[in-house]
Amino acid sequence: MPDAIVTLQGVDKDYPLGAVVVRALQGVDLEIDAGEFTVIAGPSGSGKTTLLNLIGCVDVATRGTVTIDGANTHKLSERDLTRLRLHKLGFIFQSFNLVGVLDAFQNIELPLLLQRDLGAAARTERVRGLLEQVGLTAFAHHRPGELSGGQRQRVAIARALVSQPRIVLADEPTANLDSVTGAQILELMQALNRTGTTFLFSTHDPRVVERARRVVRMVDGRIDSDSAMSPAAAVSPAAAVSPAAAVSPAAALATLTPAAADHPAAATSV
Amino acid sequence: MGMLFRMATRNLGVHKIRTSLLGTAIALVTALLALLSGLFTGMQTTMLRTATTLMTGHVNVAGFYKPTSGTVAPVVTKAAALRAFVEKKTPGVKLIVTRGRGWGKVVSDKSSQQAALVGIDIGAEVGFRDVVQVKTGSLEGLREPHSCVIFQSTAKRLEVKVGDTVTLSAPTFRGVNNTVDVKIVAIGGDLGMFSGFNVYVPEATIRELYQLDPLTVGAIQLYVNEPDRAEEIAATLRADIEKAGWRVLPPVSQPFWRKFDTVKREDWTGQKIDVTTWTDEMQFMKWTLATVGTLITIIVGVLLVIISVGMMNALSMAIRERTREIGTLRAIGMQRGGILGLFVLEAALLGLGATIVGVVLAIGTAALVNGIGVGVGEDFQMFVMRETLWLEMDGGTVALSVGVIAAATIVASLGPAWRASRLPPVVAMQSAK
Ligand SMILES: Nc1ncnc2c1ncn2[C@@H]1O[C@H](COP(=O)(O)OP(=O)(O)O)[C@@H](O)[C@H]1O
Ligand SMILES: [Mg+2]
């Protein structure tokens, strides 16, 4: 699996809730490859956020392994996990989560300052480039409070991309936006995906699902269907994710149709 | 670091009310600490200056002469040689004077009181002229024999004025009572509790009263450039004097008049030298300063606890409000240390900024108070040894105030900042507001 950025094997996540245990994820196997534009779909409470949190290394699985870019996250210290998030992951949050006291430019620059790899001139150039890509050059020195929701999410996208992460994770990135703005944000992410950024996001918005190249459907903490699954994988659960199918999104789509017959939900969404 | 600084300053700026309330409290406590320390330093300086002028040198070379084993006189016989020796052996000495010391009765037409009788050479006593504020008359009168200078409280008690004559009466060291009439040539402003018990006469008058020969003095008083080093200087001098052949008493930290009884009971005759410091002679002063110092420490300690709690509260509040932001910073790759640093920096900036404001406030207040001369109540005068309040804002006091308060605010921030740094990054996903 040379291209796998994310690999989950037999992942469970339990939340102890008083006397009972909420089983938020159960036996999740998943593999995400470079260049994908994948949607985790499913109803509220199905475990999408939990899954993204595990992949984003902000939470740990109860059982199973989560491998990010070749590193088994269970074996990493808190410090190394933080470093991994800084260098390999980008985050886009439902509520944008910008630092209120910093302007757009400074918010985007933040991960670069944390990385300490680039000098001031290189940082400025990188941030300017991203501001341009997300169409906010004119708003560089506005603070989040002076920006609209869509503009804030653009800043957040630029912040997620500025460190050139291996994968960008977005938990319901359009949930707090009106539908027109949401569509614009999605278009932006798609365009960025075409230039090479890998995206993984969760949503329960069908219009978002329509645009995905690959859809992973969650129900009750399990993967109910995965549009990337090959027919072979479907008959042989041991190899739930086919490496062949995962090589490129196009290949995944091409091999999908027969398997999709068994999964009406997946079939309608592709 | 630049980024943390920017975030910290702006967060302080965003919460204007909280920042200014806490900042004001910190500034006021700093100002109070600085002013109290200034008062303390002022007291210390004034006490040292006044007491060392009126009562003692920084270092005293004195002693006891026992004509028989049962009698004792607090004098140094054949003092000229000793004085020359001391002068040679003590570097960094500003001034050396000899004084006569006694204890007797001062009798006026109307009244009488006990007093310490101090014989001085007014021509040599530079410090004495500086310290004593003459209300009426002139210190120059002390150049004449049979003259005396008293302080206002004594003048009031004896109901006398400049030009009047009083009688000094004391038992000589041979045991017979002797009297000398002296004319009051000047009355000085009161200088704390000591002035009321002191009467100054020419050295020759003390000799006459006690029937001493001209080579006998009460004490050789040394004023040095570094009074703080008095103990050290005294120890060296004591050893030198002993080595040179004088008999020397072991050091005992007591004023000379409290040693009388002990020395009287000792079984020796002749001359012994006693080297003491101003702290030995001024036990009362030490005690007063220690008490005032303790009081200040308690007051400031209580206030420190209050502002520390305030700081902890403010930070805890900030952390509660900014939980999602903390999670976000952690999620996008800031280490725990960064979060810790962010909050400690916020506290430190507020603490340092406020303490500097406080110190500036204190310096201004002190300049004002010192300038207009705020009167001190009579009871308090005894302690501060001045008629007006004196706040001494030296570099040490200022640095100490800023240091202590700023350090306290930083220490107070450590707990909340630590808790913030331990928040799991997943709190970033908490729903907004
Ligand atoms: N911190 C938590 N403590 C307890 N239960 C939780 C916690 N987070 C999520 N859950 C539960 O786990 C399940 C999956 O939640 P989540 O991943 O947030 O779903 P989704 O994002 O798809 O809405 C839900 O039943 C939810 O109530
Ligand atoms: Mg969710």
Short mmCIF file of all heavy atoms in Angstrom, two decimals, chain B residues 285-314:
data_model
loop_
_atom_site.label_atom_id
_atom_site.label_comp_id
_atom_site.label_asym_id
_atom_site.label_seq_id
_atom_site.Cartn_x
_atom_site.Cartn_y
_atom_site.Cartn_z
N MET B 285 16.32 49.83 68.24
CA MET B 285 16.12 50.15 66.84
C MET B 285 15.95 48.88 66.01
O MET B 285 15.07 48.78 65.16
CB MET B 285 17.35 50.89 66.35
CG MET B 285 17.07 51.89 65.31
SD MET B 285 18.57 52.79 64.98
CE MET B 285 19.04 51.99 63.49
N LYS B 286 16.79 47.93 66.33
CA LYS B 286 16.73 46.64 65.64
C LYS B 286 15.34 46.03 65.82
O LYS B 286 14.72 45.55 64.88
CB LYS B 286 17.75 45.70 66.30
CG LYS B 286 18.83 45.16 65.38
CD LYS B 286 19.86 44.53 66.27
CE LYS B 286 20.45 43.26 65.78
NZ LYS B 286 21.50 42.81 66.70
N TRP B 287 14.89 46.08 67.06
CA TRP B 287 13.59 45.51 67.40
C TRP B 287 12.47 46.25 66.65
O TRP B 287 11.59 45.63 66.07
CB TRP B 287 13.39 45.61 68.92
CG TRP B 287 12.06 45.13 69.38
CD1 TRP B 287 11.72 43.84 69.67
CD2 TRP B 287 10.89 45.92 69.59
NE1 TRP B 287 10.40 43.78 70.04
CE2 TRP B 287 9.87 45.04 70.00
CE3 TRP B 287 10.60 47.29 69.46
CZ2 TRP B 287 8.57 45.48 70.29
CZ3 TRP B 287 9.31 47.72 69.74
CH2 TRP B 287 8.32 46.81 70.15
N THR B 288 12.55 47.58 66.66
CA THR B 288 11.53 48.37 65.98
C THR B 288 11.49 48.03 64.49
O THR B 288 10.43 47.79 63.91
CB THR B 288 11.82 49.87 66.13
OG1 THR B 288 12.01 50.15 67.50
CG2 THR B 288 10.69 50.71 65.58
N LEU B 289 12.67 48.00 63.90
CA LEU B 289 12.73 47.72 62.46
C LEU B 289 12.21 46.33 62.16
O LEU B 289 11.47 46.12 61.20
CB LEU B 289 14.17 47.88 61.95
CG LEU B 289 14.67 49.31 61.86
CD1 LEU B 289 16.13 49.35 61.46
CD2 LEU B 289 13.83 50.12 60.88
N ALA B 290 12.56 45.37 63.00
CA ALA B 290 12.10 44.00 62.78
C ALA B 290 10.57 43.95 62.86
O ALA B 290 9.91 43.29 62.05
CB ALA B 290 12.72 43.06 63.81
N THR B 291 10.01 44.67 63.85
CA THR B 291 8.56 44.66 64.01
C THR B 291 7.88 45.29 62.80
O THR B 291 6.93 44.73 62.24
CB THR B 291 8.16 45.45 65.28
OG1 THR B 291 8.92 44.93 66.36
CG2 THR B 291 6.68 45.31 65.57
N VAL B 292 8.38 46.47 62.42
CA VAL B 292 7.78 47.14 61.27
C VAL B 292 7.93 46.26 60.02
O VAL B 292 6.99 46.10 59.24
CB VAL B 292 8.44 48.52 61.05
CG1 VAL B 292 7.94 49.16 59.76
CG2 VAL B 292 8.14 49.44 62.22
N GLY B 293 9.10 45.66 59.87
CA GLY B 293 9.34 44.77 58.73
C GLY B 293 8.36 43.61 58.71
O GLY B 293 7.79 43.28 57.66
N THR B 294 8.12 43.02 59.87
CA THR B 294 7.18 41.90 59.95
C THR B 294 5.77 42.36 59.59
O THR B 294 5.05 41.69 58.84
CB THR B 294 7.19 41.31 61.38
OG1 THR B 294 8.53 41.03 61.73
CG2 THR B 294 6.36 40.04 61.44
N LEU B 295 5.38 43.52 60.13
CA LEU B 295 4.04 44.06 59.84
C LEU B 295 3.86 44.25 58.34
O LEU B 295 2.84 43.85 57.75
CB LEU B 295 3.84 45.40 60.55
CG LEU B 295 3.32 45.29 61.98
CD1 LEU B 295 3.29 46.68 62.63
CD2 LEU B 295 1.92 44.69 61.96
N ILE B 296 4.87 44.85 57.71
CA ILE B 296 4.79 45.09 56.27
C ILE B 296 4.68 43.76 55.53
O ILE B 296 3.86 43.61 54.62
CB ILE B 296 6.02 45.89 55.78
CG1 ILE B 296 5.96 47.31 56.34
CG2 ILE B 296 6.08 45.91 54.25
CD1 ILE B 296 7.17 48.15 56.02
N THR B 297 5.47 42.80 55.96
CA THR B 297 5.44 41.49 55.30
C THR B 297 4.06 40.87 55.40
O THR B 297 3.54 40.31 54.43
CB THR B 297 6.49 40.55 55.94
OG1 THR B 297 7.73 41.24 55.98
CG2 THR B 297 6.64 39.28 55.14
N ILE B 298 3.45 40.99 56.58
CA ILE B 298 2.12 40.39 56.76
C ILE B 298 1.09 41.09 55.86
O ILE B 298 0.35 40.44 55.12
CB ILE B 298 1.68 40.47 58.25
CG1 ILE B 298 2.55 39.53 59.08
CG2 ILE B 298 0.19 40.12 58.39
CD1 ILE B 298 2.37 39.68 60.58
N ILE B 299 1.10 42.42 55.89
CA ILE B 299 0.14 43.17 55.07
C ILE B 299 0.30 42.80 53.60
O ILE B 299 -0.66 42.46 52.91
CB ILE B 299 0.34 44.70 55.25
CG1 ILE B 299 -0.01 45.10 56.69
CG2 ILE B 299 -0.50 45.48 54.25
CD1 ILE B 299 0.37 46.53 57.02
N VAL B 300 1.54 42.86 53.14
CA VAL B 300 1.79 42.58 51.73
C VAL B 300 1.48 41.12 51.41
O VAL B 300 0.94 40.80 50.36
CB VAL B 300 3.24 42.95 51.35
CG1 VAL B 300 3.56 42.49 49.95
CG2 VAL B 300 3.44 44.45 51.46
N GLY B 301 1.79 40.24 52.35
CA GLY B 301 1.49 38.82 52.15
C GLY B 301 0.01 38.59 51.91
O GLY B 301 -0.38 37.89 50.98
N VAL B 302 -0.81 39.22 52.76
CA VAL B 302 -2.26 39.07 52.61
C VAL B 302 -2.71 39.60 51.25
O VAL B 302 -3.47 38.94 50.52
CB VAL B 302 -3.00 39.81 53.76
CG1 VAL B 302 -4.49 39.90 53.48
CG2 VAL B 302 -2.76 39.09 55.08
N LEU B 303 -2.20 40.78 50.90
CA LEU B 303 -2.59 41.37 49.61
C LEU B 303 -2.10 40.50 48.45
O LEU B 303 -2.79 40.35 47.44
CB LEU B 303 -2.02 42.78 49.48
CG LEU B 303 -2.66 43.78 50.46
CD1 LEU B 303 -1.94 45.11 50.42
CD2 LEU B 303 -4.13 43.98 50.13
N LEU B 304 -0.94 39.91 48.62
CA LEU B 304 -0.40 39.03 47.57
C LEU B 304 -1.31 37.85 47.35
O LEU B 304 -1.58 37.45 46.21
CB LEU B 304 0.99 38.53 47.97
CG LEU B 304 2.17 39.32 47.45
CD1 LEU B 304 3.46 38.63 47.83
CD2 LEU B 304 2.08 39.48 45.95
N VAL B 305 -1.80 37.28 48.46
CA VAL B 305 -2.71 36.15 48.34
C VAL B 305 -3.96 36.58 47.58
O VAL B 305 -4.43 35.90 46.66
CB VAL B 305 -3.08 35.60 49.74
CG1 VAL B 305 -4.23 34.61 49.64
CG2 VAL B 305 -1.87 34.93 50.37
N ILE B 306 -4.45 37.78 47.93
CA ILE B 306 -5.67 38.26 47.27
C ILE B 306 -5.45 38.42 45.76
O ILE B 306 -6.24 37.94 44.95
CB ILE B 306 -6.14 39.59 47.91
CG1 ILE B 306 -6.62 39.31 49.33
CG2 ILE B 306 -7.25 40.24 47.08
CD1 ILE B 306 -6.92 40.55 50.14
N ILE B 307 -4.36 39.07 45.37
CA ILE B 307 -4.17 39.25 43.93
C ILE B 307 -3.83 37.94 43.23
O ILE B 307 -4.16 37.74 42.07
CB ILE B 307 -3.16 40.37 43.56
CG1 ILE B 307 -1.79 40.07 44.12
CG2 ILE B 307 -3.66 41.73 43.94
CD1 ILE B 307 -0.72 40.96 43.51
N SER B 308 -3.19 37.04 43.97
CA SER B 308 -2.90 35.73 43.36
C SER B 308 -4.20 35.01 43.05
O SER B 308 -4.37 34.43 41.97
CB SER B 308 -2.05 34.88 44.29
OG SER B 308 -0.79 35.48 44.46
N VAL B 309 -5.13 35.05 44.02
CA VAL B 309 -6.43 34.42 43.80
C VAL B 309 -7.14 35.10 42.63
O VAL B 309 -7.72 34.44 41.76
CB VAL B 309 -7.28 34.47 45.09
CG1 VAL B 309 -8.71 34.05 44.80
CG2 VAL B 309 -6.67 33.56 46.14
N GLY B 310 -7.04 36.43 42.59
CA GLY B 310 -7.65 37.18 41.48
C GLY B 310 -7.08 36.74 40.15
O GLY B 310 -7.82 36.52 39.18
N MET B 311 -5.76 36.59 40.12
CA MET B 311 -5.10 36.18 38.88
C MET B 311 -5.54 34.78 38.48
O MET B 311 -5.86 34.51 37.32
CB MET B 311 -3.58 36.24 39.09
CG MET B 311 -2.78 35.78 37.90
SD MET B 311 -3.10 36.73 36.41
CE MET B 311 -1.81 37.94 36.47
N MET B 312 -5.62 33.88 39.46
CA MET B 312 -6.02 32.51 39.16
C MET B 312 -7.45 32.48 38.63
O MET B 312 -7.75 31.78 37.66
CB MET B 312 -5.90 31.64 40.41
CG MET B 312 -4.47 31.28 40.74
SD MET B 312 -4.37 29.94 41.92
CE MET B 312 -3.88 30.81 43.37
N ASN B 313 -8.30 33.29 39.27
CA ASN B 313 -9.69 33.36 38.82
C ASN B 313 -9.80 33.86 37.40
O ASN B 313 -10.51 33.29 36.58
CB ASN B 313 -10.48 34.31 39.73
CG ASN B 313 -11.25 33.54 40.77
OD1 ASN B 313 -11.67 32.42 40.51
ND2 ASN B 313 -11.40 34.12 41.92
N ALA B 314 -9.10 34.96 37.14
CA ALA B 314 -9.18 35.57 35.82
C ALA B 314 -8.70 34.59 34.76
O ALA B 314 -9.32 34.45 33.70
CB ALA B 314 -8.34 36.85 35.78
#
